[in-house]
Amino acid sequence: MDSFRPTRRQQETAAEGQAALPSNSENADLADAPISDAVASAPLKDQSPVKINPDLTTTNFVKGKRPGDVYVRRRDPHSRFFKRVGPGHFVATEEATRAPTRTERAYREMKAVLIGRPIDSAREIHERLTKVKALAVFSSDAISSVAYATGEIMLVLALAGSQALGYSIPISFAIAALLFIVAFSYRQTVLAYPSGGGSYIVSHENLGTRAGLVAAAALLIDYILTVAVSISAGTAAITSAFPQLFPYTVEIALGFVGIMTLLNLRGIREAGSIFAIPTYLFIVTLGILIVLGFGEIVLNGMPAPTEPMDIPPQQPFDPWLLLTAFSAGAVAMSGVEAISNGVPAFKPPESKNAAKTLTVMASILAVFFVCISILAVLYHANPESEQTVISQLGRVIYGDNIFYYIFQFATMGILVVAANTAFADFPRLASILARDNFMPHHFLFRGDRLAFTVGISALGGVAAILIFAFQGDTHLLIPLYAVGVFLAFTLSQTGMVVHWRKLKTPKWKRNAIINGIGAVATAVILVIAATTKFTHGAWVVMILIPVLVAGFSLIHRHYTRVADQLRIQPEQLPASTIKQFVLVPIDTVNYASLRALAFARSMSSQIIALHVNIDQERTDRMKEKMAKFAPDINLVILDSPYRQFVRPMITYIEAVHEQNPNAFVTIVLPEFIPAHTWERLLHGRTAQRLRAEFETHPNVAVVLVPYLLEA
């Protein structure tokens, strides 16, 4: 739809634009252009009520050929903009949302290229994910952790020397066993909450608001760290294969964040299609690596180290070191809860599809994690090398050839794609918190592609800041990771125990025991992670969580206060009409100001035209014209010896209002709108300044009456 700009004879509607109230006399000649006597003596326009048809249709009665025949012809001239579905009910078409200006149309075309064409809300059900795509979207975080979790275990054990690296195998088995417990517990959650049972919802419903907010804060931090850690690890995979890129680690990581943000703005289904490629390529190439690695051992025996590895011990091997290594490797469990948060994104039946995907994900993760840990020990991987542990395995098993680089590319791909788990769940959780009035309502907004635009953009921005602050170093970021993950796990599983006890559905005792075991197991890891990683950065998360909870409470208090003050109370309804007087600031009498006065007459019989005098000659001309063209209007002259325009006017309005504070003051501001945007720079902005000043004044309304100039 092209922009509508009627001529002077056609203008009957209002729009925004440039003030006709100059703050000085720079436009004196323009404003004081004489009005002819013919215009002054012209008859008034018809003052009868405006007739409109809200159904946007026209009806004509047409006489037939025979006497008495009358046909009713009904036309719908706006059918390309609105589809009529009932009396007073329309559906806006895509044509109705077409950009009115060339600049905006060019912007929308560029936006369509980057994130795609807008999707109709009715097609949301078609944007849901199959199990195959959902595994790529929601499981990439968990599966990708095998690329760095083993290395984190070995890096801690290396403090006790190279002889301690063998303990990474039993630690990996212990983590895998715990993974199955937690995954099976979350299956219960998925089936119990088919509309989405993230830690926030489960904790909020069963443990109370405070526990729910703690879980939400932990999850939001977890999702931000997921993006930062995954993309940093993916960048490390590339710099391991191409060491010459190492100085550009931060730049590469920030580029990946931008790409992930852009792709997620295209919508979850399209993101699933794109991200399925690196996810399944990694699964296939890592599976082949594991088969080849163990096959080599079976056929040729234990491999000898390619280079001597003698890591001197820096501290004794003790239970504390073992627990620290265990908590470092527990990051392999991050992302297990993602499927329970995203159940509504699955195709029907949502909960069953989500439960099956969760089982497949846990199985793949456990097998890969244990196998990589075993191979890392058997192939003598060095955790202190500039190469990642998984890169060392790939170079040894595949050889330094094209297959190794394909594997590294796949590793980089899934680590970058792993951030998509957070991009899928962070905006959804933020929207739920916004729905419950714990986060700004902007997070409820869904963009052209049915994606939570604000949440996706916010996550990308904060993660980028984190990567820049930590210079993309995975080892520095991971200590911040585990506390939030396992705090959310523990609260969710504890909430499920309460859930089963309250409902007492069939087999509730068995379900409660399963979730109870999961709660105890994750609580133990939470204590271990918080204790062993406290001095390595976990204290930051332990401070941030209560800060976020306090912020949630503050936002909720604001929305509650707003709702209380806006709530309709039958005994305190406003009057059906409001007593008001109208004040029209007039700098000079011209066509625009006369239209504003005409508009004011339709609102009230009490009208004050206020003129601030900063030029006596100009004021005299204005008084003559007011006497000639608007003699019925009460004119007030306000001299301003200090040549201030806006402030004296505001003070006068406040003084008038004090005479009757309960009355409503309507300030009618005449303004003219130049035909071209650049022309607005040639005029003052008085109307906008007055409107901004009175936005916070009670019982004061500001109405702009524009006049559109022709080009």
Side-chain angles (χ1 to χ4, degrees):
M1 184 192 305
D2 293 328
S3 179
F4 176 63
R5 180 176 287 272
T7 63
R8 172 167 173 168
R9 294 181 180 275
Q10 296 173 321
Q11 291 195 50
E12 300 292 341
T13 58
E16 290 187 353
Q18 171 60 46
L21 299 170
S23 56
N24 51 50
S25 59
E26 60 175 321
N27 298 314
D29 294 338
L30 174 64
D32 291 335
I35 301 177
S36 67
D37 292 339
V39 174
S41 61
L44 295 175
K45 292 185 178 181
D46 182 16
Q47 299 298 314
S48 59
V50 178
K51 294 182 180 180
I52 62 170
N53 182 3
D55 279 343
L56 303 179
T57 58
T58 60
T59 303
N60 297 324
F61 295 93
V62 182
K63 291 184 179 181
K65 295 181 179 180
R66 293 179 296 180
D69 285 352
V70 177
Y71 299 95
V72 178
R73 181 177 295 166
R74 183 173 179 176
R75 295 179 61 250
D76 190 358
H78 303 287
S79 58
R80 67 190 181 104
F81 302 122
F82 303 100
K83 180 181 178 182
R84 189 171 182 270
V85 295
H89 188 183
F90 300 89
V91 176
T93 65
E94 187 175 356
E95 183 70 16
T97 63
R98 184 173 172 234
T101 64
R102 290 182 179 178
T103 302
E104 191 173 352
R105 283 197 291 270
Y107 165 74
R108 291 196 181 183
E109 286 298 324
M110 182 180 66
K111 183 179 176 183
V113 172
L114 292 175
I115 68 172
R117 296 285 177 185
I119 299 175
D120 191 333
S121 298
R123 291 191 52 81
E124 181 178 8
I125 189 67
H126 302 290
E127 294 298 304
R128 301 228 185 147
L129 300 172
T130 62
K131 294 189 290 293
V132 173
K133 290 183 179 179
L135 185 67
V137 171
F138 293 112
S139 301
S140 54
D141 177 24
I143 294 175
S144 69
S145 61
V146 302
Y148 54 83
T150 297
E152 292 301 313
I153 295 174
M154 298 181 74
L155 195 63
V156 174
L157 293 175
L159 295 174
S162 54
Q163 299 300 318
L165 296 180
Y167 285 95
S168 59
I169 295 177
I171 290 175
S172 299
F173 273 104
I175 293 173
L178 183 63
L179 168 65
F180 276 114
I181 294 173
V182 173
F184 197 63
S185 299
Y186 267 105
R187 270 185 61 93
Q188 306 293 106
T189 303
V190 167
L191 296 172
Y193 286 86
S195 60
S199 297
Y200 165 69
I201 294 176
V202 175
S203 303
H204 184 271
E205 288 189 5
N206 300 292
L207 302 178
T209 301
R210 187 66 61 181
L213 294 179
V214 171
L219 278 177
L220 291 178
I221 294 172
D222 174 34
Y223 292 142
I224 294 170
L225 288 169
T226 294
V227 177
V229 170
S230 299
I231 287 183
S232 296
T235 305
I238 287 297
T239 56
S240 295
F242 303 98
Q244 61 270 26
L245 295 177
F246 186 78
Y248 307 100
T249 296
V250 175
E251 290 81 356
I252 295 172
L254 293 178
F256 284 144
V257 171
I259 293 171
M260 292 297 298
T261 303
L262 190 64
L263 290 177
N264 274 276
L265 289 173
R266 294 187 68 91
I268 189 170
R269 185 172 70 92
E270 188 161 343
S273 301
I274 296 171
F275 298 147
I277 298 172
T279 299
Y280 288 106
L281 180 62
F282 176 76
I283 290 174
V284 171
T285 55
L286 183 58
I288 295 173
L289 177 92
I290 291 171
V291 171
L292 292 177
F294 282 109
E296 178 69 20
I297 293 173
V298 170
L299 296 176
N300 301 319
M302 302 291 286
T306 55
E307 57 183 39
M309 184 177 62
D310 184 17
I311 302 176
Q314 302 178 32
Q315 66 181 67
F317 182 80
D318 53 22
W320 179 260
L321 186 69
L322 201 63
L323 290 175
T324 304
F326 179 83
S327 65
V331 296
M333 296 174 57
S334 62
V336 173
E337 84 292 341
I339 291 176
S340 67
N341 292 332
V343 174
F346 283 80
K347 286 185 177 292
E350 293 87 345
S351 56
K352 290 185 178 179
N353 287 334
K356 291 177 182 177
T357 306
L358 178 60
T359 302
V360 173
M361 179 268 292
S363 302
I364 293 174
L365 173 58
V367 171
F368 279 4
F369 177 51
V370 171
C371 289
I372 288 297
S373 296
I374 295 173
L375 289 175
V377 172
L378 297 181
Y379 279 85
H380 311 286
N382 184 357
E384 295 186 346
S385 170
E386 289 187 359
Q387 287 192 65
T388 61
V389 167
I390 199 169
S391 174
Q392 295 175 53
L393 291 177
R395 198 179 290 273
V396 171
I397 295 173
Y398 276 123
D400 197 0
N401 52 40
I402 186 62
F403 297 106
Y404 164 73
Y405 289 100
I406 292 174
F407 174 64
Q408 282 300 100
F409 176 79
T411 304
M412 177 274 294
I414 194 171
L415 284 167
V416 172
V417 166
N420 191 61
T421 299
F423 276 105
D425 281 343
F426 179 97
R428 192 178 299 277
L429 174 58
S431 72
I432 294 172
L433 288 167
R435 180 201 65 192
D436 294 344
N437 294 328
F438 290 111
M439 284 188 73
H441 288 170
H442 310 299
F443 286 92
L444 286 169
F445 175 70
R446 305 188 78 173
D448 291 347
R449 303 287 294 179
L450 296 176
F452 292 105
T453 305
V454 176
I456 292 171
S457 302
L459 175 59
V462 176
I465 293 172
L466 203 60
I467 288 173
F468 182 80
F470 286 84
Q471 292 295 293
D473 192 327
T474 308
H475 302 305
L476 294 178
L477 288 166
I478 282 181
L480 307 177
Y481 208 4
V483 173
V485 173
F486 288 102
L487 177 57
F489 283 176
T490 303
L491 289 172
S492 176
Q493 298 308 305
T494 304
M496 285 303 300
V497 174
V498 176
H499 170 82
W500 297 123
R501 291 190 63 184
K502 284 194 304 185
L503 293 185
K504 294 188 176 180
T505 55
K507 300 181 181 179
W508 72 271
K509 290 184 178 180
R510 185 203 68 175
N511 296 337
I513 290 172
I514 293 172
N515 288 120
I517 294 172
V520 171
T522 53
V524 170
I525 300 179
L526 172 62
V527 173
I528 294 172
T531 305
T532 58
K533 295 187 176 183
F534 183 83
T535 57
H536 298 281
W539 62 271
V540 176
V541 177
M542 297 170 72
I543 292 175
L544 278 178
I545 289 175
V547 169
L548 281 178
V549 171
F552 295 152
S553 301
L554 188 65
I555 293 171
H556 189 267
R557 193 177 303 119
H558 165 75
Y559 283 128
T560 301
R561 187 168 60 249
V562 171
D564 288 342
Q565 295 181 41
L566 296 180
R567 186 173 292 110
I568 297 175
Q569 299 180 8
E571 68 278 5
Q572 295 181 356
L573 291 176
S576 57
T577 59
I578 295 178
K579 295 180 179 179
Q580 66 170 325
F581 67 88
V582 179
L583 193 148
V584 185
I586 295 291
D587 182 68
T588 186
V589 178
N590 55 27
Y591 189 82
S593 56
L594 289 180
R595 289 180 77 247
L597 290 172
F599 184 83
R601 290 189 188 96
S602 68
M603 302 176 67
S604 174
S605 59
Q606 289 186 286
I607 304 172
I608 298 174
L610 179 63
H611 174 79
V612 178
N613 177 19
I614 58 176
D615 183 339
Q616 188 60 48
E617 183 179 348
R618 182 184 179 87
T619 299
D620 292 340
R621 290 199 301 269
M622 185 277 305
K623 289 172 66 176
E624 292 177 4
K625 290 186 177 181
M626 282 293 294
K628 185 175 184 179
F629 298 110
D632 58 316
I633 302 297
N634 185 16
L635 176 63
V636 173
I637 305 296
L638 179 61
D639 288 348
S640 179
Y642 299 101
R643 297 163 304 284
Q644 296 294 314
F645 183 78
V646 175
R647 194 65 245 174
M649 183 183 295
I650 293 171
T651 305
Y652 176 82
I653 294 171
E654 292 174 343
V656 173
H657 197 202
E658 285 180 2
Q659 299 178 31
N660 191 346
N662 294 324
F664 212 94
V665 182
T666 300
I667 303 173
V668 175
L669 296 173
E671 60 179 4
F672 58 83
I673 306 173
H676 303 290
T677 303
W678 67 268
E679 295 173 338
R680 301 187 184 188
L681 301 175
L682 305 178
H683 305 280
R685 309 291 295 175
T686 309
Q688 284 70 19
R689 289 176 60 190
L690 285 172
R691 180 172 59 179
E693 285 285 346
F694 284 102
E695 278 181 346
T696 57
H697 281 61
N699 292 350
V700 175
V702 179
V703 179
L704 303 180
V705 182
Y707 172 61
L708 280 67
L709 300 177
E710 297 179 46

